[in-house]
Amino acid sequence: MRKTILLLLFTMFIVSESCVGKKNNGDIIVRLETTYGTIKVKLYPETVKHRDNFLKLVNAGYYNGVLFHRVIANFMIQAGDPKSKTAQAGEMLGSGDVGYTIPAEFIYPQYYHKRGALAAAREGDQQNPKKASSGCQFYIVQGKKFTDAQLDSLEGVRMVKLEEKMFQEIGQKKLAEITRYRKENNQKKLDAMGDSIMTVVQTHLKNHPTYKYSAQQRNDYKTLGGSPHLDGNYTVFGEVIDGLNIVDKIANATTDDNDRPIENIKVIKATVEK
């Protein structure tokens, strides 16, 4: 089985705090006045590009009138599509943008997808392998609570993905050798190289288990909830400090088959709190 997995990989070469907190000195707070009430978000200073872009759009009035166009209970609420301001009832939304993207800023594991996390939407990995963020669309996590067993299972998935990524990265550096052994039909040397690479990968992960959740992450995902499967794939650049009840109300709205609320839910006005 292991040799089959290694062969497949070779083939690929070839072909916290709580979400609700007090405002600290220096924090930048944005108020989102919505149809259902006000949500206040704190922007993280470390995600500079995302913070500055969000502030630019807020100050320009860009978000005034946009809809929460994608809402999934126990997951997240999404807004920021400029087309939503003039959309007809039932119109499918989510493709609108501002003509640019923002490079990913993963500050992980410091910032993650706990309940109330503010993060940037983006296109999928196939079109967007560098995971660059949308220049305007964002989402707020509602999420759900997880058990230790569920988090253990997610860690296992994360470990396998990390193993595959590291295996491929090391294998790419040895591509010339791999290609030669394949041309020679030398399966013995291919297997030996595969075993050698896997040993390096597993030793590294044993000494640097970055796929594991920290004690704080585990506590938050078990007590507050969140969407841990998104960690390390989407940029988290802030969090809700007031109005999680409004997030819940929006997330639980009745939606159509495209996850758009039947009744329009708007960001009436977005402002920077002085």
Side-chain angles (χ1 to χ4, degrees), residues 27-251:
D27 286 343
I28 298 176
I29 309 298
V30 173
R31 291 171 55 94
L32 301 174
E33 298 173 35
T34 80
T35 306
Y36 285 174
T38 299
I39 301 169
K40 292 184 182 181
V41 295
K42 174 178 72 174
L43 304 184
Y44 296 144
E46 295 88 347
T47 48
V48 180
K49 294 182 178 67
H50 286 73
R51 178 200 65 193
D52 290 352
N53 180 71
F54 196 69
L55 287 174
K56 178 187 73 174
L57 295 178
V58 168
N59 288 325
Y62 172 86
Y63 290 116
N64 300 346
V66 298
L67 301 181
F68 283 96
H69 67 271
R70 184 170 179 245
V71 165
I72 303 175
N74 300 316
F75 183 31
M76 58 91 227
I77 61 175
Q78 184 172 333
D81 183 343
K83 295 179 180 179
S84 69
K85 292 185 180 184
T86 56
Q88 298 298 309
E91 182 180 341
M92 188 171 179
L93 297 167
S95 61
D97 60 43
V98 285
Y100 61 85
T101 58
I102 306 168
E105 293 180 291
F106 299 144
I107 312 298
Y108 184 81
Q110 184 176 355
Y111 299 133
Y112 46 94
H113 285 81
K114 62 185 178 181
R115 172 170 157 81
L118 170 68
R122 66 174 179 84
E123 292 199 346
D125 289 355
Q126 189 169 1
Q127 317 95 290
N128 180 26
K130 293 185 177 180
K131 305 180 191 297
S133 300
S134 163
C136 56
Q137 292 197 38
F138 67 89
Y139 62 92
I140 298 173
V141 174
Q142 182 194 38
K144 62 182 181 181
K145 293 179 182 178
F146 288 76
T147 64
D148 276 316
Q150 289 172 321
L151 292 172
D152 289 344
S153 178
L154 286 171
E155 280 185 348
V157 172
R158 287 157 57 88
M159 182 187 72
V160 169
K161 287 183 177 179
L162 193 53
E163 275 186 347
E164 291 176 352
K165 181 174 181 291
M166 292 183 65
F167 190 100
Q168 291 175 36
E169 287 173 349
I170 296 173
Q172 282 291 345
K173 296 176 182 178
K174 299 177 179 292
L175 187 56
E177 289 178 79
I178 293 170
T179 302
R180 185 171 72 252
Y181 295 152
R182 285 176 64 86
K183 287 181 178 179
E184 295 170 355
N185 199 27
N186 194 331
Q187 192 60 47
K188 184 176 180 179
K189 286 194 174 182
L190 279 172
D191 289 344
M193 179 175 286
D195 288 338
S196 174
I197 294 173
M198 187 58 78
T199 297
V200 171
V201 168
Q202 291 177 338
T203 300
H204 177 85
L205 291 180
K206 182 178 180 180
N207 295 327
H208 305 88
T210 54
Y211 59 90
K212 288 185 173 292
Y213 296 113
S214 68
Q216 183 65 58
Q217 285 175 295
R218 276 189 172 262
N219 182 67
D220 283 345
Y221 283 138
K222 290 192 296 180
T223 60
L224 299 172
S227 297
H229 65 286
L230 300 178
D231 286 340
N233 285 299
Y234 295 78
T235 297
V236 176
F237 64 97
E239 66 181 84
V240 173
I241 61 168
D242 190 29
L244 279 173
N245 61 317
I246 306 303
V247 174
D248 288 338
K249 191 173 180 181
I250 296 172

